[in-house]
Amino acid sequence: MAERVLTERAIEEYRITDEPFYLPVGNETELFEAAYHARLPVMLKGPTGCGKTRFVEYMAWRLNRPLITVACHEDLSATDLVGRFLLEGEETVWHDGPLTTAVRYGAICYLDEVVEARKDTVVIIHPLTDHRRRLPIEKRGTLLEAPPEFMLVVSYNPGYQSILKDLKQSTRQRFVSIEFDYPPPELEAEIVAREGGISLEMARDLVLIGQKVRNLRGHGLEEGVSTRLLIYAAQLIARGIAPIAAAEVALAFPITDDRDLQRSIREIITTVI
Amino acid sequence: MAERVLTERAIEEYRITDEPFYLPVGNETELFEAAYHARLPVMLKGPTGCGKTRFVEYMAWRLNRPLITVACHEDLSATDLVGRFLLEGEETVWHDGPLTTAVRYGAICYLDEVVEARKDTVVIIHPLTDHRRRLPIEKRGTLLEAPPEFMLVVSYNPGYQSILKDLKQSTRQRFVSIEFDYPPPELEAEIVAREGGISLEMARDLVLIGQKVRNLRGHGLEEGVSTRLLIYAAQLIARGIAPIAAAEVALAFPITDDRDLQRSIREIITTVI
Amino acid sequence: MAERVLTERAIEEYRITDEPFYLPVGNETELFEAAYHARLPVMLKGPTGCGKTRFVEYMAWRLNRPLITVACHEDLSATDLVGRFLLEGEETVWHDGPLTTAVRYGAICYLDEVVEARKDTVVIIHPLTDHRRRLPIEKRGTLLEAPPEFMLVVSYNPGYQSILKDLKQSTRQRFVSIEFDYPPPELEAEIVAREGGISLEMARDLVLIGQKVRNLRGHGLEEGVSTRLLIYAAQLIARGIAPIAAAEVALAFPITDDRDLQRSIREIITTVI
Amino acid sequence: MAERVLTERAIEEYRITDEPFYLPVGNETELFEAAYHARLPVMLKGPTGCGKTRFVEYMAWRLNRPLITVACHEDLSATDLVGRFLLEGEETVWHDGPLTTAVRYGAICYLDEVVEARKDTVVIIHPLTDHRRRLPIEKRGTLLEAPPEFMLVVSYNPGYQSILKDLKQSTRQRFVSIEFDYPPPELEAEIVAREGGISLEMARDLVLIGQKVRNLRGHGLEEGVSTRLLIYAAQLIARGIAPIAAAEVALAFPITDDRDLQRSIREIITTVI
Amino acid sequence: MAERVLTERAIEEYRITDEPFYLPVGNETELFEAAYHARLPVMLKGPTGCGKTRFVEYMAWRLNRPLITVACHEDLSATDLVGRFLLEGEETVWHDGPLTTAVRYGAICYLDEVVEARKDTVVIIHPLTDHRRRLPIEKRGTLLEAPPEFMLVVSYNPGYQSILKDLKQSTRQRFVSIEFDYPPPELEAEIVAREGGISLEMARDLVLIGQKVRNLRGHGLEEGVSTRLLIYAAQLIARGIAPIAAAEVALAFPITDDRDLQRSIREIITTVI
Amino acid sequence: MAERVLTERAIEEYRITDEPFYLPVGNETELFEAAYHARLPVMLKGPTGCGKTRFVEYMAWRLNRPLITVACHEDLSATDLVGRFLLEGEETVWHDGPLTTAVRYGAICYLDEVVEARKDTVVIIHPLTDHRRRLPIEKRGTLLEAPPEFMLVVSYNPGYQSILKDLKQSTRQRFVSIEFDYPPPELEAEIVAREGGISLEMARDLVLIGQKVRNLRGHGLEEGVSTRLLIYAAQLIARGIAPIAAAEVALAFPITDDRDLQRSIREIITTVI
């Protein structure tokens, strides 16, 4: 049977060649490295846009492993991850899915927001995350042994999981878990200044706004403003948009439709800037 | 493997050659241009028929980019957006979806009412809306890098979103957000007169009716009468229908089935005209 | 790629050659004609069997346009309306759906009970119902421009719509709306006599029964007896069935299973006849 | 395109050659014949096993029309009724569904328990049940005109319809409706004796049991014992089973699992026999 | 069109050649035989593991009919029962489903736990279970007449049917119904001793435990311990497991997860053994 | 028809060649062996990560049988287990599913978390788990007799089963049931030391933490910390991570998102270490 799998050369596309900009907050890099060498799967927990994806890219670069990222969603099936047969002309050809590719070449496979995936997707990773470390490819009736370099990383945002979408204990207890939060203010300002192309002073103002907005959580705001949105505001300012207008479209409107909350955030903005 | 993608020439069909009629209300054109040049995705928020679609057409014309519009709905899947394999005779041929076409040629992709789409559709845009700016085409196992000219725009009507259909924070916090509302009265009258082919005076009357009807929101009316419906009324009047009859079929019956509300609107109409 | 679309000749099957019997009640024909010439889509609102379908046939005949009717239902998908690829022997052949056929040949497309259709079906008509007037055929990656003669008409029965099945404002506000009700008594008697083949006197009796039964609405009866059922009763009488028996099987049993309501209707029948 | 439709000869399989045993209760045969000649669709309402199916067979024989019966269920789709394309070797061949066959050859099409079918199935019959009398075959893009001999009959059991499964008024008001109930005692005894192969005396006992059990409706029993079950009891008796045992397995156990109700029915049985 | 149906020879696989071990409890064999000769379908009602399946095997052997058993489940469709077209190379080949095979060769078709099947599966048996005795194979447009030897048997466990999964009266009233329960103690001990390979004395102890556990029904226990589990316990004892341990893993743990109930059952076990 | 089944040689991949590390807790190995020789199916009940999978591997090694494990999930269908036809070029080829492979070669088939599978999957094992011991392959119309060496084992975690996902009694009563729990402390410390590569002293500390955390069950904690997580903590410590940090990421964060519970667990950790 014919098969279409990524060649050794194509996998190189997934290798990160330039050092991603990442400023460590605590011992997360040591923990990740220890887990990698102990061949343990890792779960990154934390709010939206706090740097989990960037952290994985940084670690993939540091460990010199290709990184294959899959954004999970309700319709992501085990077949999407593992692979499928496709008819090509008169031939049925096997196509590896991204998880199989990662196992085959010892890459880091990053399942972003794993809790969003269908249950079969979550279960397919079970034999990869215990002492067996192998992927059954049921459609082909074979088993793929994971090389030592293969690593599974998942992310998970505990902030807005409903009971219906919680991860089962039988899945959770397969991961070493690293908790993330927004970077401390000075570090966040450094990130915003650098990525947004503005002065450190202006970045500090934006970070201050971010902190104050995050304090609104529990007062009607579902989740705080992310580091990413602070960078958006900075980028608009760097393109000549007035700081207050930039903060409004990047920090107020995206996170809430509520008129009262928008007004509160606007007050925070005008107080700071 | 064969593939059927839009040729460079066919994409020109999507370029807007005549300046669309659009009267700016605030700083929305500057914000959109800054976001375009900073390569940030944009979300347009606002009620039905207030001019969001027209604004995108206007900006696409101003930035000289092809515009690919997708009306989102409950059954719109990631596959519909990205592309699929189709059997043609004995050959399996790849067909780009509209999002892939937009990425390939650096067009503006406008996902209208994005919240209506299936979750997988919403998640597929994640890697396009952060620093990665690339579209994984999982079915082909490739990655498509977005050129600088590619821009993603989504629209969203916060007025009647249910909790079940809200956008997740992890999606919302990927967009710069511009808020829209109905145009101010004089501007709206100008638009209605021009597009409806009636006198400015008559247009002012229709706009006045529109304003009064919009005040009924919160008194049983789900959403106000749109600028589009005001233009409809104008067009019927221009075709010789009596103004009161035209206003009734264009401004009362379309927005409510409730007999009492219809009567209230009719009273507004007869008071003004 | 091969395609199988209706030939210019086949579309003639959909042209109405004999004037349908229709007696106007108000200004509905003028409104419809004005909307047609202004290229506005029209929504017909009203109860079951009051003549909406007949009115559309009459207007299609008057405007000399082919009429393509689609009875909407829960499983009607956008694909059903727009078209699909089918494998014929070794060839994949495109088949136009009824909406595409109507756009291609400038016919009137009548979506009966549009609220019953799936959401994707409802959304597919959006670009046809604003200034763009075009149909994106996503499966073929093309756009079909509607000729000036194309018109979209939908029907909608506000009587028994549940909240779950209401039309969204973003759809409603795309239509000029004409409201229908049962014809006034003398007109209805004329229709029943003519279509049922009975004397005007007997028809007046049936119409009187109809009016009295309609008054039971709100007293357990979901919807009144339709003009169509009055004609059924007439036709059975014309075939020799005793008037009371005919009225019972045509006017009482079809509209309710409730024994008490059936008894009330029977009393109305025996009082009148 | 090839097609596989029933030949004129095969349709004869569906013609009923021997007079079915049916004893009329009221004017139902006259009503049915009048509706047939007036080309009106008919709905038969009544409880399980009271003779609706037999009545249709009898009328089909009397009118000398082939009878095509479809047992409706939740998964019965419009496609199942109308027809579909099937791949045969290298050829796509059209296969008529049972409704199309009935229209093509002017048969009586009997949709048993129509309320169980999917909504698209119910809606597909709309254009067949008004003045148009034609079947749109959307998959082929054609219209099939019904010949005068074609008749649509549906059955409906109002006893246990839930609100979720009620027929819409827009469907109900398309039918002339004949109501059925169990035959009167002497008639039912005659039927049971003849079909069950027992003496009229014994049949009268069984019918008496049936009547008494039917009186338990509203006291925990969902529906009464059908004429069919009375015949089953008779047939077991005719095969040598003791009358009490036969009555128990045919009249008590099939209709209820409730021990108390079973005991009540057993008491009825032993009192009568 | 090619077809792949069981040959006369293959059906012999389904014939039961050795007399199954079955000890009659009442008049069930006579009732079954009478129903078979009167061509009536039979429903077997009773709790899990009380011998319904074995009884059907015994009757199939006694009547010398092949037995085709189908375990019903939520996804069992009419197509699974009746048959489907499959593509083989370039040819579309018809494959009989198990129900069609049974009708074709006059076998006994046993639908185990019929209430679990999808509604379309349940409805497909309607024309086989009235005077028509024929199976419409809609996908092929043919009718299969059942030979006199064909018999339909279904099983049904009234103990844990929810309201959602109850059989409709229109289905129930098509069957003669035989009720089953666990065998009387002495008979059950004989069965356990014989099938489990232990002494009659030990078997009596196990049966006594079974009886006492069954009395816990209504005190938190959903269903009693089955004859099958008693045989399991016996088989473990015959393999050298200590009687108390064997009773625990066969009679306590399988039927409940509740610690208190497990303790109660353990007390019963240690009191008896 | 072609078929693609595992060759005798490929099945050897599933044979466990090295003795898995397993320390028996009670009489579970004798019970399993007795069930194997009596050809009885076995259900293993117990919490996540307590060693059920390892136990099956150990028994498969001891009985020298290939072991085929299937992780069950909501979308696992009977077809996935039994097999399907796939088109290869111009040929339809049968592919055995894992259950069929296990039956064909007399392997042990282990359905992990069987309650997660779809109902049809659960029902397909019924004829394999009673005296028939055969697998109907309905798609091929054949029966596969299980050789004496075939054994079915399922696992089941009674801790977090909802009512919706409980196993039916008709399924449960087909299994001999062995209950598992976490190993006793000294045994667990031995396992953690050996598998985690740390000193027995440190392992005892981790086990003590584990015991104390398990006591939090019923105080907000859904399920206790598994032996597997204790080994994870040990492995991180063996890689140089400080014991407190290792315990936090392996024993606190994976099992709960609750800040208060995390604090309680951290207190337990710092008290012990």
Side-chain angles (χ1 to χ4, degrees), chain A residues 57 73 87 89-90 113 160 224 226 232 235 239 249 253-255 257 262, chain B residues 1 37 40 45 90 92 120 129 131 156 168-170 172-174 177 179:
Chain A
E57 290 178 348
H73 53 78
L87 199 64
E90 306 215 339
E113 300 206 45
Y160 56 87
S226 63
Y232 277 15
Q235 286 176 320
R239 294 274 165 191
V249 300
F253 298 158
I255 64 174
D257 304 330
Q262 288 182 353
Chain B
M1 202 183 315
H37 291 299
L40 300 180
K45 302 204 308 199
E90 306 216 338
T92 302
D120 61 334
T129 51
H131 62 282
Y156 170 72
K168 294 192 301 172
Q169 284 289 337
S170 63
R172 294 174 76 114
Q173 299 212 7
R174 291 166 175 283
S177 220
E179 299 225 337

Tab-separated table of all heavy atoms in Angstrom, chain A residues 57 73 87 89-90 113 160 224 226 232 235 239 249 253-255 257 262, chain B residues 1 37 40 45 90 92 120 129 131 156 168-170 172-174 177 179:
chain	number	residue	atom	x	y	z
A	57	GLU	N	7.690	26.981	21.887
A	57	GLU	CA	8.596	27.253	20.758
A	57	GLU	C	10.029	27.439	21.254
A	57	GLU	O	10.984	26.948	20.646
A	57	GLU	CB	8.131	28.504	20.012
A	57	GLU	CG	6.834	28.283	19.252
A	57	GLU	CD	6.340	29.541	18.558
A	57	GLU	OE1	6.876	30.630	18.841
A	57	GLU	OE2	5.408	29.430	17.743
A	73	HIS	N	-9.940	21.423	18.575
A	73	HIS	CA	-11.293	21.951	18.502
A	73	HIS	C	-12.262	20.786	18.542
A	73	HIS	O	-11.868	19.623	18.422
A	73	HIS	CB	-11.484	22.792	17.242
A	73	HIS	CG	-11.099	22.061	15.995
A	73	HIS	ND1	-11.900	21.124	15.420
A	73	HIS	CD2	-9.981	22.127	15.242
A	73	HIS	CE1	-11.308	20.658	14.351
A	73	HIS	NE2	-10.134	21.234	14.208
A	87	LEU	N	-7.940	8.355	-1.409
A	87	LEU	CA	-7.901	7.774	-2.734
A	87	LEU	C	-7.154	8.730	-3.647
A	87	LEU	O	-7.511	9.898	-3.759
A	87	LEU	CB	-9.341	7.586	-3.230
A	87	LEU	CG	-9.550	6.613	-4.377
A	87	LEU	CD1	-9.184	5.205	-3.943
A	87	LEU	CD2	-10.988	6.657	-4.833
A	89	GLY	N	-6.260	8.836	-7.514
A	89	GLY	CA	-6.417	8.102	-8.762
A	89	GLY	C	-6.935	6.722	-8.420
A	89	GLY	O	-7.981	6.575	-7.808
A	90	GLU	N	-6.178	5.709	-8.774
A	90	GLU	CA	-6.648	4.345	-8.549
A	90	GLU	C	-6.039	3.742	-7.291
A	90	GLU	O	-6.190	2.556	-7.034
A	90	GLU	CB	-6.303	3.479	-9.750
A	90	GLU	CG	-6.814	4.061	-11.059
A	90	GLU	CD	-7.255	2.984	-12.002
A	90	GLU	OE1	-6.807	1.842	-11.827
A	90	GLU	OE2	-8.062	3.281	-12.903
A	113	GLU	N	-4.841	23.731	23.693
A	113	GLU	CA	-6.217	23.664	24.209
A	113	GLU	C	-6.818	22.277	24.027
A	113	GLU	O	-7.881	22.107	23.431
A	113	GLU	CB	-7.106	24.716	23.524
A	113	GLU	CG	-6.591	26.131	23.762
A	113	GLU	CD	-7.698	27.151	23.682
A	113	GLU	OE1	-8.764	26.902	24.255
A	113	GLU	OE2	-7.478	28.194	23.033
A	160	TYR	N	-11.720	28.957	32.050
A	160	TYR	CA	-13.106	28.904	31.596
A	160	TYR	C	-13.548	27.518	31.150
A	160	TYR	O	-14.313	27.376	30.210
A	160	TYR	CB	-13.371	29.935	30.493
A	160	TYR	CG	-12.465	29.836	29.306
A	160	TYR	CD1	-12.764	28.998	28.239
A	160	TYR	CD2	-11.331	30.610	29.229
A	160	TYR	CE1	-11.942	28.930	27.143
A	160	TYR	CE2	-10.509	30.538	28.124
A	160	TYR	CZ	-10.820	29.694	27.094
A	160	TYR	OH	-10.011	29.623	25.996
A	224	GLY	N	-8.743	38.229	32.118
A	224	GLY	CA	-7.997	39.482	32.028
A	224	GLY	C	-7.460	39.726	30.635
A	224	GLY	O	-7.554	38.878	29.747
A	226	SER	N	-4.693	39.958	27.868
A	226	SER	CA	-3.497	39.148	27.694
A	226	SER	C	-2.290	40.001	27.326
A	226	SER	O	-2.434	41.149	26.889
A	226	SER	CB	-3.734	38.123	26.590
A	226	SER	OG	-3.966	38.792	25.380
A	232	TYR	N	-0.497	44.291	20.918
A	232	TYR	CA	-1.329	44.866	19.844
A	232	TYR	C	-1.446	46.384	20.023
A	232	TYR	O	-1.269	47.157	19.079
A	232	TYR	CB	-2.731	44.265	19.853
A	232	TYR	CG	-2.895	42.946	19.158
A	232	TYR	CD1	-1.801	42.150	18.803
A	232	TYR	CD2	-4.167	42.448	18.839
A	232	TYR	CE1	-1.973	40.925	18.168
A	232	TYR	CE2	-4.342	41.237	18.213
A	232	TYR	CZ	-3.246	40.473	17.878
A	232	TYR	OH	-3.429	39.275	17.254
A	235	GLN	N	1.665	48.055	19.081
A	235	GLN	CA	1.909	48.089	17.637
A	235	GLN	C	1.083	49.169	16.950
A	235	GLN	O	1.551	49.824	16.019
A	235	GLN	CB	1.602	46.708	17.029
A	235	GLN	CG	2.695	45.682	17.382
A	235	GLN	CD	2.381	44.297	16.873
A	235	GLN	OE1	1.232	43.854	16.939
A	235	GLN	NE2	3.384	43.605	16.361
A	239	ARG	N	2.349	52.594	15.013
A	239	ARG	CA	1.894	52.951	13.653
A	239	ARG	C	1.220	54.318	13.639
A	239	ARG	O	0.582	54.680	12.648
A	239	ARG	CB	0.885	51.919	13.141
A	239	ARG	CG	1.439	50.540	12.924
A	239	ARG	CD	2.056	50.404	11.530
A	239	ARG	NE	2.887	49.207	11.483
A	239	ARG	CZ	3.711	48.928	10.483
A	239	ARG	NH1	3.831	49.762	9.458
A	239	ARG	NH2	4.443	47.837	10.502
A	249	VAL	N	-9.279	50.090	21.316
A	249	VAL	CA	-9.579	49.020	20.350
A	249	VAL	C	-8.802	47.739	20.640
A	249	VAL	O	-9.170	46.666	20.168
A	249	VAL	CB	-9.345	49.460	18.886
A	249	VAL	CG1	-10.247	50.647	18.542
A	249	VAL	CG2	-7.898	49.781	18.609
A	253	PHE	N	-12.457	46.839	23.771
A	253	PHE	CA	-13.466	46.217	22.908
A	253	PHE	C	-13.254	44.712	22.705
A	253	PHE	O	-14.234	43.964	22.638
A	253	PHE	CB	-13.524	46.926	21.551
A	253	PHE	CG	-13.934	48.371	21.636
A	253	PHE	CD1	-13.608	49.273	20.618
A	253	PHE	CD2	-14.647	48.876	22.731
A	253	PHE	CE1	-13.990	50.603	20.677
A	253	PHE	CE2	-15.026	50.212	22.800
A	253	PHE	CZ	-14.695	51.076	21.772
A	254	PRO	N	-11.997	44.238	22.572
A	254	PRO	CA	-11.870	42.795	22.313
A	254	PRO	C	-12.331	41.927	23.474
A	254	PRO	O	-12.810	40.816	23.252
A	254	PRO	CB	-10.358	42.596	22.078
A	254	PRO	CG	-9.850	43.941	21.690
A	254	PRO	CD	-10.695	44.926	22.460
A	255	ILE	N	-12.204	42.394	24.720
A	255	ILE	CA	-12.460	41.463	25.827
A	255	ILE	C	-13.874	41.520	26.379
A	255	ILE	O	-14.283	40.630	27.111
A	255	ILE	CB	-11.432	41.635	26.968
A	255	ILE	CG1	-11.526	43.007	27.619
A	255	ILE	CG2	-10.017	41.398	26.460
A	255	ILE	CD1	-10.622	43.142	28.844
A	257	ASP	N	-18.219	42.956	25.580
A	257	ASP	CA	-19.252	43.690	24.848
A	257	ASP	C	-20.080	44.537	25.801
A	257	ASP	O	-20.957	45.280	25.367
A	257	ASP	CB	-20.199	42.701	24.136
A	257	ASP	CG	-19.465	41.761	23.219
A	257	ASP	OD1	-18.411	42.150	22.682
A	257	ASP	OD2	-19.945	40.629	23.031
A	262	GLN	N	-16.845	48.328	29.501
A	262	GLN	CA	-16.046	49.120	28.548
A	262	GLN	C	-15.764	50.507	29.135
A	262	GLN	O	-14.660	51.035	28.983
A	262	GLN	CB	-16.785	49.230	27.218
A	262	GLN	CG	-16.812	47.919	26.431
A	262	GLN	CD	-17.512	48.029	25.083
A	262	GLN	OE1	-18.098	49.065	24.763
A	262	GLN	NE2	-17.457	46.985	24.286
B	1	MET	N	0.331	15.156	-7.005
B	1	MET	CA	-1.117	15.273	-6.871
B	1	MET	C	-1.598	16.545	-7.579
B	1	MET	O	-0.999	17.596	-7.434
B	1	MET	CB	-1.458	15.363	-5.374
B	1	MET	CG	-2.875	14.965	-5.068
B	1	MET	SD	-3.154	15.211	-3.313
B	1	MET	CE	-1.643	14.474	-2.633
B	37	HIS	N	-1.254	47.485	8.326
B	37	HIS	CA	0.194	47.598	8.181
B	37	HIS	C	0.936	46.913	9.330
B	37	HIS	O	2.053	46.449	9.146
B	37	HIS	CB	0.590	49.078	8.068
B	37	HIS	CG	0.127	49.680	6.770
B	37	HIS	ND1	0.535	49.226	5.534
B	37	HIS	CD2	-0.751	50.696	6.500
B	37	HIS	CE1	-0.055	49.917	4.569
B	37	HIS	NE2	-0.851	50.823	5.136
B	40	LEU	N	-2.208	43.036	11.930
B	40	LEU	CA	-3.087	42.573	13.007
B	40	LEU	C	-4.472	42.242	12.447
B	40	LEU	O	-4.990	42.974	11.596
B	40	LEU	CB	-3.229	43.667	14.072
B	40	LEU	CG	-1.943	44.111	14.757
B	40	LEU	CD1	-2.238	45.199	15.786
B	40	LEU	CD2	-1.233	42.949	15.417
B	45	LYS	N	-17.408	45.019	15.281
B	45	LYS	CA	-18.586	44.725	16.096
B	45	LYS	C	-19.693	45.736	15.809
B	45	LYS	O	-19.418	46.933	15.692
B	45	LYS	CB	-18.236	44.776	17.587
B	45	LYS	CG	-17.134	43.826	18.011
B	45	LYS	CD	-17.159	43.426	19.485
B	45	LYS	CE	-17.229	44.551	20.459
B	45	LYS	NZ	-16.801	44.119	21.821
B	90	GLU	N	-10.475	9.931	-12.598
B	90	GLU	CA	-9.639	8.984	-11.871
B	90	GLU	C	-8.631	9.690	-10.991
B	90	GLU	O	-7.731	9.058	-10.434
B	90	GLU	CB	-8.912	8.091	-12.871
B	90	GLU	CG	-9.863	7.405	-13.843
B	90	GLU	CD	-9.387	6.022	-14.184
B	90	GLU	OE1	-8.180	5.766	-14.024
B	90	GLU	OE2	-10.219	5.190	-14.598
B	92	THR	N	-7.544	12.437	-7.887
B	92	THR	CA	-7.955	13.197	-6.712
B	92	THR	C	-7.321	14.572	-6.803
B	92	THR	O	-6.098	14.692	-6.881
B	92	THR	CB	-7.496	12.490	-5.432
B	92	THR	OG1	-8.053	11.183	-5.425
B	92	THR	CG2	-7.970	13.236	-4.204
B	120	ASP	N	-14.517	24.431	14.942
B	120	ASP	CA	-13.265	24.117	14.258
B	120	ASP	C	-12.877	25.232	13.285
B	120	ASP	O	-11.711	25.484	13.034
B	120	ASP	CB	-13.339	22.773	13.530
B	120	ASP	CG	-14.413	22.753	12.462
B	120	ASP	OD1	-15.389	23.512	12.589
B	120	ASP	OD2	-14.294	21.979	11.512
B	129	THR	N	-3.546	34.239	13.307
B	129	THR	CA	-3.799	35.486	14.026
B	129	THR	C	-2.826	35.721	15.170
B	129	THR	O	-3.098	36.526	16.038
B	129	THR	CB	-5.252	35.483	14.569
B	129	THR	OG1	-5.454	34.273	15.283
B	129	THR	CG2	-6.260	35.641	13.478
B	131	HIS	N	1.724	35.623	16.069
B	131	HIS	CA	2.975	35.967	15.387
B	131	HIS	C	3.343	34.974	14.291
B	131	HIS	O	4.146	35.276	13.424
B	131	HIS	CB	4.111	36.071	16.425
B	131	HIS	CG	4.357	34.765	17.122
B	131	HIS	ND1	3.552	34.293	18.131
B	131	HIS	CD2	5.296	33.819	16.933
B	131	HIS	CE1	3.997	33.115	18.542
B	131	HIS	NE2	5.044	32.808	17.833
B	156	TYR	N	-19.054	40.622	13.906
B	156	TYR	CA	-19.643	40.044	15.115
B	156	TYR	C	-20.712	41.013	15.590
B	156	TYR	O	-20.475	42.205	15.727
B	156	TYR	CB	-18.510	39.883	16.137
B	156	TYR	CG	-18.899	39.516	17.534
B	156	TYR	CD1	-19.352	38.243	17.848
B	156	TYR	CD2	-18.762	40.435	18.569
B	156	TYR	CE1	-19.682	37.904	19.155
B	156	TYR	CE2	-19.079	40.101	19.879
B	156	TYR	CZ	-19.540	38.830	20.160
B	156	TYR	OH	-19.853	38.501	21.447
B	168	LYS	N	-14.983	32.527	22.353
B	168	LYS	CA	-14.101	32.276	23.480
B	168	LYS	C	-13.090	33.411	23.614
B	168	LYS	O	-12.663	33.996	22.621
B	168	LYS	CB	-13.329	30.975	23.262
B	168	LYS	CG	-14.190	29.745	23.260
B	168	LYS	CD	-13.332	28.498	23.340
B	168	LYS	CE	-12.368	28.444	22.167
B	168	LYS	NZ	-11.393	27.351	22.308
B	169	GLN	N	-12.666	33.698	24.850
B	169	GLN	CA	-11.644	34.718	25.071
B	169	GLN	C	-10.382	34.393	24.280
B	169	GLN	O	-9.727	35.289	23.755
B	169	GLN	CB	-11.326	34.838	26.566
B	169	GLN	CG	-12.393	35.578	27.368
B	169	GLN	CD	-12.435	37.069	27.096
B	169	GLN	OE1	-11.454	37.647	26.663
B	169	GLN	NE2	-13.581	37.689	27.317
B	170	SER	N	-10.052	33.107	24.166
B	170	SER	CA	-8.818	32.768	23.457
B	170	SER	C	-8.918	33.107	21.975
B	170	SER	O	-7.914	33.229	21.291
B	170	SER	CB	-8.463	31.292	23.652
B	170	SER	OG	-9.465	30.479	23.098
B	172	ARG	N	-11.248	35.843	20.956
B	172	ARG	CA	-11.464	37.301	20.977
B	172	ARG	C	-10.166	38.061	21.132
B	172	ARG	O	-9.960	39.102	20.520
B	172	ARG	CB	-12.365	37.670	22.156
B	172	ARG	CG	-13.766	37.148	22.064
B	172	ARG	CD	-14.520	37.459	23.346
B	172	ARG	NE	-14.881	38.857	23.359
B	172	ARG	CZ	-16.120	39.325	23.303
B	172	ARG	NH1	-17.126	38.488	23.275
B	172	ARG	NH2	-16.367	40.596	23.285
B	173	GLN	N	-9.291	37.535	22.029
B	173	GLN	CA	-8.077	38.284	22.353
B	173	GLN	C	-7.033	38.193	21.237
B	173	GLN	O	-5.859	38.476	21.444
B	173	GLN	CB	-7.507	37.807	23.693
B	173	GLN	CG	-8.478	38.023	24.842
B	173	GLN	CD	-7.801	38.314	26.168
B	173	GLN	OE1	-6.596	38.485	26.234
B	173	GLN	NE2	-8.589	38.406	27.228
B	174	ARG	N	-7.453	37.758	20.071
B	174	ARG	CA	-6.560	37.741	18.911
B	174	ARG	C	-6.853	38.891	17.952
B	174	ARG	O	-6.186	39.014	16.924
B	174	ARG	CB	-6.711	36.420	18.159
B	174	ARG	CG	-6.178	35.258	18.948
B	174	ARG	CD	-6.579	33.918	18.425
B	174	ARG	NE	-5.897	32.893	19.197
B	174	ARG	CZ	-4.617	32.559	19.043
B	174	ARG	NH1	-3.912	33.136	18.088
B	174	ARG	NH2	-4.060	31.652	19.810
B	177	SER	N	-10.314	45.429	17.855
B	177	SER	CA	-11.768	45.472	17.730
B	177	SER	C	-12.269	46.893	17.447
B	177	SER	O	-11.996	47.808	18.226
B	177	SER	CB	-12.343	44.981	19.063
B	177	SER	OG	-13.432	44.177	18.863
B	179	GLU	N	-15.678	49.199	16.999
B	179	GLU	CA	-17.118	49.140	17.241
B	179	GLU	C	-17.877	50.047	16.261
B	179	GLU	O	-17.483	51.187	16.034
B	179	GLU	CB	-17.426	49.531	18.691
B	179	GLU	CG	-16.782	48.596	19.701
B	179	GLU	CD	-17.717	48.183	20.836
B	179	GLU	OE1	-18.688	48.902	21.122
B	179	GLU	OE2	-17.476	47.105	21.427
